[in-house]
Amino acid sequence: MPQSHDPDEQRQDTNWPEKPRILARRSVARSRLFHIESLDLRFSNGEERTFERLTGSDHGAVMIVAMPDPEHVLLIREYAAGFEDYVLTLPKGLVDPGEDIITAANRELMEECGFGARRIEPLVELSLAPNYMRHRMQVLLASDLYPKRLPGDEPEPMIVETHAIEDLQDLLAREDFHEARAIAALYIARDRLRATEDSHRLW
């Protein structure tokens, strides 16, 4: 029987505590990209605390593991303002209004890597620092690629590199590859590909 991915349904089947009650919600700061909220919470034991969080896009975001062939994956090199340096990561971006995650992933792949994909399948949903950020990233596996370039909003062209998906240890040894979501996405994609290959061997 498949497991439920609904947190509220899972909470009913476990010994999870009752969720805190939100007493007040305030906007602390807002910029072009970010919105900081303050939440006054009362926990089930009566304790009250104030938390601040960075809210995410209501439309979500996507990260793409794009495979130009069965052994390799496309990575991009882009400037990361948080580190004031260039980093190696997977193509990613926000889901635009009116898009589903498949359409958004294909668009971002065309904008950042110059490829479209005839086959795109969801892999997993990831979060980042959930104590402080309401941000979810949908990871998708893209294959059967074809050349297709769309104009994007990047300030400079992305440098696209091809790496063997089985050589993740070599990637982890690099100083410019350290984004946790990209690392998790590659391991999950690699394991999915291995499982698919093993099932084909059984037949």
Side-chain angles (χ1 to χ4, degrees):
M1 182 177 179
Q3 291 184 340
S4 169
H5 295 283
D6 185 333
D8 290 327
E9 289 185 14
Q10 292 176 349
R11 185 173 289 104
Q12 294 173 3
D13 296 334
T14 65
N15 293 323
W16 290 13
E18 180 183 347
K19 287 197 297 186
R21 179 184 173 194
I22 299 176
L23 303 177
R25 186 196 311 262
R26 296 179 299 278
S27 179
V28 176
R30 187 186 293 270
S31 72
R32 182 176 62 88
L33 294 176
F34 302 109
H35 179 210
I36 301 175
E37 276 188 339
S38 175
L39 299 177
D40 294 339
L41 303 176
R42 178 181 295 144
F43 288 79
S44 58
N45 61 1
E47 288 289 326
E48 295 186 5
R49 295 287 189 278
T50 298
F51 284 71
E52 289 186 355
R53 70 177 183 179
L54 187 66
T55 65
S57 167
D58 291 335
H59 302 290
V62 292
M63 174 175 277
I64 308 100
V65 180
M67 311 282 296
D69 59 62
E71 288 81 36
H72 294 87
V73 62
L74 299 181
L75 297 176
I76 59 170
R77 184 178 300 281
E78 65 177 349
Y79 184 74
F83 281 81
E84 301 178 17
D85 203 356
Y86 285 88
V87 299
L88 197 63
T89 185
L90 290 168
K92 58 186 179 295
L94 296 177
V95 178
D96 287 343
E99 286 185 326
D100 57 32
I101 61 173
I102 303 295
T103 304
N106 214 14
R107 174 183 53 77
E108 288 291 343
L109 187 59
M110 294 175 184
E111 292 177 359
E112 298 191 356
C113 295
F115 286 95
R118 296 183 180 90
R119 179 185 174 117
I120 300 179
E121 57 182 303
L123 278 180
V124 70
E125 181 182 81
L126 300 176
S127 67
L128 180 67
N131 282 18
Y132 302 100
M133 296 177 63
R134 193 188 72 184
H135 181 78
R136 298 175 184 271
M137 178 75 77
Q138 304 293 332
V139 179
L140 300 100
L141 181 64
S143 56
D144 196 4
L145 306 187
Y146 58 93
K148 175 71 174 180
R149 171 73 65 180
L150 286 180
D153 57 1
E154 292 78 17
E156 59 184 0
M158 296 287 184
I159 297 174
V160 182
E161 300 184 9
T162 302
H163 290 268
I165 198 167
E166 289 291 343
D167 292 340
L168 296 185
Q169 289 301 320
D170 291 341
L171 277 173
L172 289 174
R174 297 176 53 143
E175 293 184 356
D176 59 351
F177 182 73
H178 46 71
E179 185 179 356
R181 294 174 302 178
I183 294 169
L186 286 176
Y187 273 102
I188 292 167
R190 186 199 64 180
D191 290 349
R192 170 71 67 86
L193 292 168
R194 284 179 175 178
T196 301
E197 185 177 345
D198 288 344
S199 66
H200 287 166
R201 285 194 187 121
L202 290 176
W203 294 99

